[in-house]
């Protein structure tokens, strides 16, 4: 129980001084969770009470299984568009079918997370690199803002892509269907949330904005002033917990969405768990986080909720309110459930534009501009992957955009391994080791010897490129080449295709009177050469050297020349009570 239910040992060691802090933090957190849950459910085109069901399920599920003491889970803006893109086209406007699909999506995503956690496969989220995550978040932000702009102007919107939403808004504005009163309320809510977020981050700006919007709407309705669409009322009571009823065809249709949600939500929770660790020495358990995330999603689905993830906006609220343990989340879950039971008319006077404003503010909070600008400065290809991810999410939709971005990232990795960097090495006077002659034009090369380095594993896609680049280096050598030394430390693997290419290259070089040697080859790579039957044909241990320096000395000895002198070393005499600067290690 201590291994799989972290709440159990926490309760056994719970301190009385924590209780009041957790109670206050739970109440403060519920004041934010309720309006945010409503807003994100609306953004996902789900009945709004689904957001509250999901909030309660996520809080309880993670409190039971989550290893982090203060992390908060719930409906999230990063998943809203993905949920809507998966569920809305299949529901065909049927509210009951929409809830069933959303619940099934949550349960399936939860099962995937739990299975991956039990199998210790937390590393699969490494498929979502930082450029993909930045692009995904930026694409989600653009999609959500575009989908909420019509609602902000008092127009109904059921479009799923950013382009459709913007075109729908343009047609509504051209037809003079905009409701300026609703627009004023929505813009006022945006101003309140952004100003309080900037100047008073501890104040629940979302709650204040929605309460103010509700009061303004109530007064305007009494003055018989026409408003735009209103938020649907909450369903009274609570649906019976249980597995959602859906056909096998329906389950199969949401499978890809469940996989995408599982990957994205766990990538978020693994980052936030490290950010909100209680001390810098705390180590997060990625596999246990997967299990806890799966439990939160499954319980959300059982309660009729939608998929959930960790929250970068609500966790700081709990932290600022003084939360000590997951008991604060249990208090917030109880408060939210109580509101569902005793206050079903909570949203009666709330205009739809107010929830649209909350979603727009949440979307602006997840935009990544500074990190993308950093990518542009330091790595243009990853910057391009991030932009392509944005374009894929905005133009193709959330789910296809995410899978296209993952495919692009994998293709980018394969391309770099396919066309790696290689270098001819030489000796730089006064410096130890052997260095790239293209970066050090003053480097000296030995007559008759070619030092060649290949910075990647040798596999089927790049083996012929390796051979071609080696032939080109031989042709461009300043003197006829009689021996080649491959600096093989970066070569971490050789597959069967590459082994055949090496065998043919060895025969070609031998026919030309050139001998091939390897230096710094790793033990597992040598074992592969033995299994391929190439070890003896290459010359056995006689063709392998522990270092490049040893290989060069052996070549010079065969030529009857003196061994290469070592790099000039400087000795620094240590003086008491004074530290001398040590120059950084020179990269080969």
């Amino acid at each position: 129980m201590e291994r799989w239910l972290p709440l159990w040992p926490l309760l056994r060691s719970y301190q009385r001084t924590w209780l009041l802090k957790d109670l206050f933090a739970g109440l403060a957190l519920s004041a934010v969770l309720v309006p945010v849950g409503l807003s994100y459910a609306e953004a996902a085109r789900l009945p709004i009470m689904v957001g509250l069901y999901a909030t309660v399920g996520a809080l309880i599920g993670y409190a039971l299984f989550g290893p982090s003491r203060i992390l908060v889970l719930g409906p999230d803006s990063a998943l809203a568009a993905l949920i809507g893109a998966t569920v809305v086209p299949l529901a065909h406007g049927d509210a009951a079918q929409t809830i069933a699909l959303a619940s099934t999506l949550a349960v399936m995503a939860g099962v995937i997370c739990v299975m991956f956690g039990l199998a210790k496969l937390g590393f699969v989220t490494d498929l979502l690199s930082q450029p993909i995550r930045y692009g995904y978040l930026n694409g989600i932000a653009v999609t959500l803002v575009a989908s909420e702009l019509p609602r902000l102007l008092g127009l109904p919107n059921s479009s799923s892509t950013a382009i459709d939403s913007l075109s729908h808004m343009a047609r509504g504005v051209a037809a003079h269907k905009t409701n300026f009163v609703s627009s004023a309320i929505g813009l006022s809510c945006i101003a309140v949330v952004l100003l309080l977020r900037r100047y008073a981050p501890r104040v629940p700006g979302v709650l204040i904005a929605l309460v103010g919007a509700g009061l303004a709407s109530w007064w305007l309705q009494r003055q018989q002033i026409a408003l735009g669409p209103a938020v649907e009322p909450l369903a009274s009571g609570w649906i019976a917990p249980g597995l959602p009823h859906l056909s096998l065809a329906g389950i199969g249709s949401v499978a890809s969405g469940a996989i995408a949600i599982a990957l994205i939500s766990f990538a978020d929770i693994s980052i936030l768990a490290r950010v909100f660790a209680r001390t810098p020495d705390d180590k997060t358990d990625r596999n246990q986080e997967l299990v806890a995330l799966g439990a939160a999603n499954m319980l959300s689905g059982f309660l009729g909720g939608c998929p959930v993830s960790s929250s970068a906006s609500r966790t700081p609220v709990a932290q600022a309110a003084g939360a000590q343990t997951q008991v604060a989340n249990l208090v917030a879950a109880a408060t939210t459930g109580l509101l569902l039971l005793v206050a079903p008319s909570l949203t009666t006077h709330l205009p739809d534009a107010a929830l649209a404003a909350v979603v727009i503010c949440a979307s602006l909070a997840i935009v990544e501009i500074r990190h993308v600008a950093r990518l542009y400065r330091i790595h243009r290809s990853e910057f391009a992957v991030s932009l392509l991810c944005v374009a894929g999410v905005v133009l193709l939709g959330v789910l296809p955009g995410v899978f296209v971005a993952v495919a692009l990232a994998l293709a980018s990795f394969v391309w770099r391994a396919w066309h790696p960097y290689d270098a001819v090495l030489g000796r730089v006077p006064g410096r130890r080791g052997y260095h790239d002659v293209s970066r050090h034009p003053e480097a000296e090369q030995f007559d008759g010897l070619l030092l060649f380095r290949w910075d990647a594993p040798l596999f089927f896609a790049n083996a012929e490129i390796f051979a071609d680049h080696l032939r080109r280096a031989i042709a461009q050598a300043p003197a006829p080449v009689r021996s080649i030394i491959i600096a093989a430390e970066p070569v971490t693997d050789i597959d069967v295709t590459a082994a055949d290419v090496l065998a043919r290259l060895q025969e070609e070089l031998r026919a030309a009177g050139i001998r091939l040697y390897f230096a710094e080859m790793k033990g597992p790579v040598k074992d592969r050469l033995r299994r391929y039957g190439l070890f003896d044909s290459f010359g056995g241990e006689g063709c392998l050297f522990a270092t490049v320096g040893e290989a060069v000395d052996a070549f010079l000895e065969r030529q009857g020349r003196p061994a290469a002198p070592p790099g000039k070393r400087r000795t620094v005499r240590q003086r008491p009570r004074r530290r001398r600067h040590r120059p950084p290690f020179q990269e080969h």
Side-chain angles (χ1 to χ4, degrees):
M1 289 184 67
E2 290 184 357
R3 171 66 180 87
W4 296 107
L5 289 175
L7 184 64
W8 175 250
L10 174 66
L11 293 178
R12 291 175 60 186
S13 60
Y14 195 81
Q15 301 178 18
R16 291 184 180 181
T17 56
W18 296 346
L19 184 57
L20 287 178
K21 294 180 180 179
D22 280 339
L23 286 174
F24 175 78
L27 293 174
L29 186 59
S30 63
V32 177
L33 291 174
V34 172
V36 168
L38 297 174
S39 302
Y40 292 164
E42 186 80 8
R45 303 293 181 265
L46 304 174
I48 58 173
M49 65 274 193
V50 171
L52 299 186
Y53 298 156
T55 299
V56 175
L59 291 173
I60 297 176
Y62 189 83
L64 292 174
F65 295 92
S68 174
R69 287 200 168 201
I70 61 172
L71 202 63
V72 178
L73 269 65
D76 190 63
S77 57
L79 298 182
L82 185 53
I83 296 169
T86 306
V87 170
V88 171
L90 302 174
H92 305 294
D94 186 346
Q97 185 74 355
T98 300
I99 296 176
L101 286 166
S103 302
T104 302
L105 194 61
V107 172
M108 290 181 65
V111 170
I112 292 171
C113 289
V114 170
M115 290 175 59
F116 277 27
L118 294 177
K120 301 186 182 301
L121 298 177
F123 60 87
V124 297
T125 55
D126 295 338
L127 289 174
L128 292 178
S129 64
Q130 287 289 59
I132 288 182
R133 187 173 180 275
Y134 299 152
Y136 165 74
L137 290 176
N138 289 336
I140 287 293
V142 171
T143 302
L144 285 177
V145 170
S147 66
E148 298 303 315
L149 282 177
R151 297 172 58 208
L152 188 68
L153 300 179
L155 301 170
N157 183 28
S158 59
S159 301
S160 58
T161 64
I163 303 300
D164 292 340
S165 297
L166 292 176
S167 62
H168 171 73
M169 182 186 68
R171 290 192 301 269
V173 171
H176 305 288
K177 296 181 179 179
T178 305
N179 188 294
F180 292 101
V181 178
S182 291
S183 300
I185 293 176
L187 292 173
S188 299
C189 289
I190 291 177
V192 169
V193 173
L194 294 182
L195 288 174
L196 289 177
R197 181 185 295 171
R198 175 67 177 84
Y199 297 105
R202 294 192 176 187
V203 177
V206 172
L207 180 63
I208 292 175
L210 291 184
V211 170
L215 293 175
S217 175
W218 172 78
W219 183 81
L220 290 171
Q221 287 175 359
R222 294 197 61 179
Q223 303 302 316
Q224 297 183 349
I225 297 176
L227 295 174
V231 175
E232 63 179 278
L234 292 173
S236 58
W238 195 290
I239 64 171
L243 285 172
H245 299 287
L246 205 64
S247 64
L248 289 178
I251 293 175
S253 61
V254 300
S256 59
I259 295 172
I261 286 171
L263 285 174
I264 293 166
S265 57
F266 183 60
D268 286 340
I269 199 174
S270 61
I271 294 171
L272 286 179
R274 291 193 296 268
V275 170
F276 291 102
R278 294 181 68 87
T279 65
D281 296 331
D282 284 351
K283 294 183 179 180
T284 57
D285 185 346
R286 296 206 301 181
N287 296 309
Q288 182 61 30
E289 292 286 358
L290 260 180
V291 172
L293 177 63
N297 273 282
M298 291 173 67
L299 188 55
S300 171
F302 290 151
L303 297 179
C306 58
V308 297
S309 181
S310 57
S311 173
S313 60
R314 283 156 284 177
T315 303
V317 172
Q319 187 179 43
Q324 300 296 306
T325 66
Q326 286 292 328
V327 173
N329 286 357
L330 294 176
V331 173
T335 306
T336 305
L338 187 63
L339 287 175
L340 272 170
L341 294 175
V342 304
S345 59
L346 193 66
T347 61
T348 301
H349 299 288
L350 193 61
D352 202 28
L355 287 187
V358 173
V359 175
I360 289 174
C361 292
S363 303
L364 296 177
I366 66 174
V367 171
E368 294 283 359
I369 295 178
R370 180 170 57 88
H371 292 97
V372 174
R374 176 174 171 268
L375 287 178
Y376 178 79
R377 293 193 304 270
I378 65 177
H379 207 304
R380 297 291 175 86
S381 64
E382 294 199 344
F383 170 77
V385 169
S386 185
L387 287 189
L388 287 172
C389 184
V390 174
V393 171
V394 172
L395 299 177
L396 303 178
V398 180
L399 189 58
V402 171
F403 284 114
V404 166
V406 172
L408 286 172
L410 294 176
S412 175
F413 168 77
V414 172
W415 177 262
R416 289 195 297 270
W418 191 359
H419 296 79
Y421 188 79
D422 59 78
V424 174
L425 306 180
R427 188 182 65 198
V428 178
R431 301 181 68 176
R432 300 188 63 183
Y434 296 86
H435 305 268
D436 185 353
V437 298
S438 65
R439 302 174 69 89
H440 300 276
E442 72 278 12
E444 300 173 352
Q445 299 185 58
F446 300 97
D447 290 343
L449 175 64
L450 176 67
L451 291 174
F452 187 78
R453 190 184 71 209
W454 180 258
D455 292 344
L458 275 171
F459 65 108
F460 62 92
N462 65 15
E464 290 292 349
I465 297 175
F466 166 81
D468 291 341
H469 285 204
L470 185 60
R471 295 187 187 101
R472 184 177 62 189
I474 294 172
Q476 295 176 351
V481 175
R482 291 290 173 259
S483 294
I484 298 174
I485 298 174
I486 305 295
E489 184 180 14
V491 182
T492 56
D493 191 24
I494 298 177
D495 70 359
V496 174
T497 304
D500 292 342
V501 172
L502 280 178
R504 292 195 300 269
L505 181 64
Q506 166 79 351
E507 295 175 0
E508 176 185 334
L509 294 175
R510 187 177 296 156
I514 301 174
R515 299 190 64 178
L516 183 64
Y517 302 92
F518 297 90
E520 302 178 354
M521 179 176 283
K522 299 181 182 301
V525 181
K526 296 179 187 177
D527 296 340
R528 286 194 180 278
L529 291 180
R530 287 189 177 93
R531 285 197 295 271
Y532 296 152
L534 297 179
F535 191 77
D536 294 332
S537 66
F538 281 167
E541 293 291 345
C543 73
L544 302 176
F545 296 90
T547 66
V548 175
E550 289 184 10
V552 172
D553 290 343
F555 166 78
L556 295 178
E557 184 178 349
R558 287 193 301 271
Q559 299 295 315
R561 289 185 262 174
K568 191 174 182 180
R569 301 184 183 181
R570 292 173 52 193
T571 59
V572 180
R573 186 172 58 186
Q574 299 293 332
R575 296 182 179 179
R577 301 181 185 178
R578 184 176 179 181
R579 297 180 64 185
R580 286 181 176 267
H581 173 69
R582 177 177 294 177
F585 178 76
Q586 298 295 335
E587 182 180 353
H588 287 193

mmCIF file of all heavy atoms in Angstrom, residues 406-420 456-457 459-462 465:
data_model
loop_
_atom_site.group_PDB
_atom_site.id
_atom_site.type_symbol
_atom_site.label_atom_id
_atom_site.label_comp_id
_atom_site.label_asym_id
_atom_site.label_seq_id
_atom_site.Cartn_x
_atom_site.Cartn_y
_atom_site.Cartn_z
ATOM 1 N N VAL A 406 5.051 14.663 -34.347
ATOM 2 C CA VAL A 406 5.873 13.553 -33.846
ATOM 3 C C VAL A 406 6.609 12.869 -35.000
ATOM 4 O O VAL A 406 7.801 12.551 -34.897
ATOM 5 C CB VAL A 406 5.008 12.545 -33.077
ATOM 6 C CG1 VAL A 406 5.807 11.304 -32.727
ATOM 7 C CG2 VAL A 406 4.448 13.171 -31.808
ATOM 8 N N ALA A 407 5.900 12.673 -36.110
ATOM 9 C CA ALA A 407 6.542 12.058 -37.277
ATOM 10 C C ALA A 407 7.680 12.934 -37.802
ATOM 11 O O ALA A 407 8.749 12.431 -38.178
ATOM 12 C CB ALA A 407 5.507 11.818 -38.378
ATOM 13 N N LEU A 408 7.475 14.260 -37.801
ATOM 14 C CA LEU A 408 8.530 15.168 -38.263
ATOM 15 C C LEU A 408 9.739 15.119 -37.341
ATOM 16 O O LEU A 408 10.888 15.159 -37.800
ATOM 17 C CB LEU A 408 7.985 16.593 -38.343
ATOM 18 C CG LEU A 408 7.050 16.893 -39.513
ATOM 19 C CD1 LEU A 408 6.445 18.279 -39.351
ATOM 20 C CD2 LEU A 408 7.793 16.790 -40.834
ATOM 21 N N ALA A 409 9.490 15.055 -36.034
ATOM 22 C CA ALA A 409 10.608 15.002 -35.090
ATOM 23 C C ALA A 409 11.421 13.721 -35.281
ATOM 24 O O ALA A 409 12.660 13.743 -35.273
ATOM 25 C CB ALA A 409 10.092 15.102 -33.662
ATOM 26 N N LEU A 410 10.723 12.592 -35.443
ATOM 27 C CA LEU A 410 11.434 11.338 -35.684
ATOM 28 C C LEU A 410 12.179 11.373 -37.013
ATOM 29 O O LEU A 410 13.315 10.879 -37.115
ATOM 30 C CB LEU A 410 10.450 10.169 -35.658
ATOM 31 C CG LEU A 410 9.791 9.893 -34.299
ATOM 32 C CD1 LEU A 410 8.772 8.767 -34.435
ATOM 33 C CD2 LEU A 410 10.824 9.535 -33.249
ATOM 34 N N ALA A 411 11.557 11.973 -38.030
ATOM 35 C CA ALA A 411 12.226 12.095 -39.328
ATOM 36 C C ALA A 411 13.464 12.985 -39.219
ATOM 37 O O ALA A 411 14.497 12.720 -39.842
ATOM 38 C CB ALA A 411 11.257 12.656 -40.371
ATOM 39 N N SER A 412 13.368 14.054 -38.411
ATOM 40 C CA SER A 412 14.515 14.928 -38.208
ATOM 41 C C SER A 412 15.655 14.191 -37.530
ATOM 42 O O SER A 412 16.833 14.332 -37.899
ATOM 43 C CB SER A 412 14.101 16.142 -37.366
ATOM 44 O OG SER A 412 15.212 16.951 -37.059
ATOM 45 N N PHE A 413 15.300 13.351 -36.531
ATOM 46 C CA PHE A 413 16.334 12.552 -35.866
ATOM 47 C C PHE A 413 16.989 11.577 -36.846
ATOM 48 O O PHE A 413 18.218 11.429 -36.882
ATOM 49 C CB PHE A 413 15.715 11.796 -34.689
ATOM 50 C CG PHE A 413 16.610 10.743 -34.108
ATOM 51 C CD1 PHE A 413 17.662 11.095 -33.289
ATOM 52 C CD2 PHE A 413 16.409 9.400 -34.397
ATOM 53 C CE1 PHE A 413 18.510 10.124 -32.757
ATOM 54 C CE2 PHE A 413 17.240 8.436 -33.871
ATOM 55 C CZ PHE A 413 18.292 8.794 -33.050
ATOM 56 N N VAL A 414 16.174 10.896 -37.647
ATOM 57 C CA VAL A 414 16.712 9.951 -38.623
ATOM 58 C C VAL A 414 17.595 10.667 -39.632
ATOM 59 O O VAL A 414 18.659 10.167 -40.025
ATOM 60 C CB VAL A 414 15.559 9.195 -39.325
ATOM 61 C CG1 VAL A 414 16.092 8.353 -40.470
ATOM 62 C CG2 VAL A 414 14.815 8.316 -38.334
ATOM 63 N N TRP A 415 17.191 11.879 -40.044
ATOM 64 C CA TRP A 415 17.991 12.630 -41.015
ATOM 65 C C TRP A 415 19.368 12.970 -40.442
ATOM 66 O O TRP A 415 20.382 12.854 -41.131
ATOM 67 C CB TRP A 415 17.264 13.907 -41.421
ATOM 68 C CG TRP A 415 18.071 14.763 -42.354
ATOM 69 C CD1 TRP A 415 18.840 15.844 -42.047
ATOM 70 C CD2 TRP A 415 18.195 14.587 -43.767
ATOM 71 N NE1 TRP A 415 19.443 16.347 -43.169
ATOM 72 C CE2 TRP A 415 19.063 15.600 -44.241
ATOM 73 C CE3 TRP A 415 17.664 13.670 -44.672
ATOM 74 C CZ2 TRP A 415 19.395 15.716 -45.574
ATOM 75 C CZ3 TRP A 415 17.997 13.793 -46.027
ATOM 76 C CH2 TRP A 415 18.852 14.801 -46.454
ATOM 77 N N ARG A 416 19.398 13.384 -39.146
ATOM 78 C CA ARG A 416 20.686 13.716 -38.541
ATOM 79 C C ARG A 416 21.572 12.483 -38.418
ATOM 80 O O ARG A 416 22.793 12.572 -38.573
ATOM 81 C CB ARG A 416 20.469 14.351 -37.168
ATOM 82 C CG ARG A 416 19.885 15.756 -37.242
ATOM 83 C CD ARG A 416 20.024 16.470 -35.910
ATOM 84 N NE ARG A 416 19.276 15.822 -34.847
ATOM 85 C CZ ARG A 416 18.014 16.103 -34.548
ATOM 86 N NH1 ARG A 416 17.370 17.039 -35.236
ATOM 87 N NH2 ARG A 416 17.396 15.490 -33.570
ATOM 88 N N ALA A 417 20.974 11.322 -38.125
ATOM 89 C CA ALA A 417 21.762 10.089 -38.073
ATOM 90 C C ALA A 417 22.132 9.612 -39.482
ATOM 91 O O ALA A 417 23.163 8.964 -39.677
ATOM 92 C CB ALA A 417 20.987 9.004 -37.344
ATOM 93 N N TRP A 418 21.293 9.952 -40.447
ATOM 94 C CA TRP A 418 21.514 9.560 -41.842
ATOM 95 C C TRP A 418 22.679 10.348 -42.449
ATOM 96 O O TRP A 418 23.483 9.813 -43.217
ATOM 97 C CB TRP A 418 20.224 9.802 -42.609
ATOM 98 C CG TRP A 418 20.159 9.234 -43.987
ATOM 99 C CD1 TRP A 418 21.125 8.535 -44.649
ATOM 100 C CD2 TRP A 418 19.052 9.321 -44.881
ATOM 101 N NE1 TRP A 418 20.688 8.187 -45.904
ATOM 102 C CE2 TRP A 418 19.417 8.659 -46.073
ATOM 103 C CE3 TRP A 418 17.798 9.891 -44.789
ATOM 104 C CZ2 TRP A 418 18.558 8.574 -47.151
ATOM 105 C CZ3 TRP A 418 16.947 9.801 -45.867
ATOM 106 C CH2 TRP A 418 17.325 9.145 -47.035
ATOM 107 N N HIS A 419 22.761 11.627 -42.124
ATOM 108 C CA HIS A 419 23.815 12.492 -42.646
ATOM 109 C C HIS A 419 24.582 13.126 -41.480
ATOM 110 O O HIS A 419 24.468 14.336 -41.230
ATOM 111 C CB HIS A 419 23.219 13.584 -43.542
ATOM 112 C CG HIS A 419 22.547 13.063 -44.767
ATOM 113 N ND1 HIS A 419 21.269 12.530 -44.750
ATOM 114 C CD2 HIS A 419 22.980 12.969 -46.059
ATOM 115 C CE1 HIS A 419 20.948 12.149 -45.981
ATOM 116 N NE2 HIS A 419 21.960 12.396 -46.790
ATOM 117 N N PRO A 420 25.333 12.328 -40.741
ATOM 118 C CA PRO A 420 26.035 12.870 -39.578
ATOM 119 C C PRO A 420 27.265 13.684 -39.976
ATOM 120 O O PRO A 420 27.670 13.708 -41.149
ATOM 121 C CB PRO A 420 26.431 11.617 -38.799
ATOM 122 C CG PRO A 420 26.626 10.599 -39.862
ATOM 123 C CD PRO A 420 25.601 10.892 -40.909
ATOM 124 N N ALA A 456 28.450 9.043 -35.685
ATOM 125 C CA ALA A 456 27.124 8.411 -35.602
ATOM 126 C C ALA A 456 27.294 6.906 -35.667
ATOM 127 O O ALA A 456 28.343 6.400 -36.101
ATOM 128 C CB ALA A 456 26.217 8.888 -36.735
ATOM 129 N N PRO A 457 26.279 6.149 -35.254
ATOM 130 C CA PRO A 457 26.305 4.709 -35.501
ATOM 131 C C PRO A 457 26.308 4.433 -37.005
ATOM 132 O O PRO A 457 25.827 5.254 -37.803
ATOM 133 C CB PRO A 457 25.006 4.210 -34.841
ATOM 134 C CG PRO A 457 24.582 5.295 -33.919
ATOM 135 C CD PRO A 457 25.076 6.562 -34.501
ATOM 136 N N PHE A 459 24.642 2.357 -39.797
ATOM 137 C CA PHE A 459 23.475 1.516 -40.038
ATOM 138 C C PHE A 459 23.093 1.617 -41.502
ATOM 139 O O PHE A 459 23.759 2.283 -42.298
ATOM 140 C CB PHE A 459 22.316 1.894 -39.108
ATOM 141 C CG PHE A 459 21.749 3.270 -39.323
ATOM 142 C CD1 PHE A 459 20.505 3.439 -39.902
ATOM 143 C CD2 PHE A 459 22.446 4.401 -38.939
ATOM 144 C CE1 PHE A 459 19.968 4.693 -40.099
ATOM 145 C CE2 PHE A 459 21.926 5.665 -39.118
ATOM 146 C CZ PHE A 459 20.679 5.813 -39.705
ATOM 147 N N PHE A 460 22.027 0.927 -41.865
ATOM 148 C CA PHE A 460 21.700 0.727 -43.279
ATOM 149 C C PHE A 460 21.573 2.025 -44.059
ATOM 150 O O PHE A 460 21.869 2.073 -45.250
ATOM 151 C CB PHE A 460 20.403 -0.080 -43.395
ATOM 152 C CG PHE A 460 19.199 0.608 -42.797
ATOM 153 C CD1 PHE A 460 18.391 1.413 -43.547
ATOM 154 C CD2 PHE A 460 18.894 0.433 -41.444
ATOM 155 C CE1 PHE A 460 17.286 2.049 -42.999
ATOM 156 C CE2 PHE A 460 17.797 1.054 -40.885
ATOM 157 C CZ PHE A 460 16.987 1.879 -41.652
ATOM 158 N N ALA A 461 21.109 3.111 -43.408
ATOM 159 C CA ALA A 461 20.839 4.349 -44.140
ATOM 160 C C ALA A 461 22.099 5.168 -44.408
ATOM 161 O O ALA A 461 22.132 5.948 -45.375
ATOM 162 C CB ALA A 461 19.814 5.197 -43.372
ATOM 163 N N ASN A 462 23.121 5.043 -43.555
ATOM 164 C CA ASN A 462 24.279 5.924 -43.735
ATOM 165 C C ASN A 462 25.571 5.179 -44.064
ATOM 166 O O ASN A 462 26.626 5.800 -44.175
ATOM 167 C CB ASN A 462 24.493 6.789 -42.488
ATOM 168 C CG ASN A 462 24.871 5.986 -41.250
ATOM 169 O OD1 ASN A 462 25.246 4.830 -41.341
ATOM 170 N ND2 ASN A 462 24.771 6.614 -40.100
ATOM 171 N N ILE A 465 26.989 6.282 -47.336
ATOM 172 C CA ILE A 465 27.459 7.666 -47.203
ATOM 173 C C ILE A 465 28.811 7.685 -46.510
ATOM 174 O O ILE A 465 29.714 8.445 -46.886
ATOM 175 C CB ILE A 465 26.424 8.499 -46.421
ATOM 176 C CG1 ILE A 465 25.106 8.549 -47.196
ATOM 177 C CG2 ILE A 465 26.938 9.904 -46.150
ATOM 178 C CD1 ILE A 465 23.993 9.255 -46.456
#
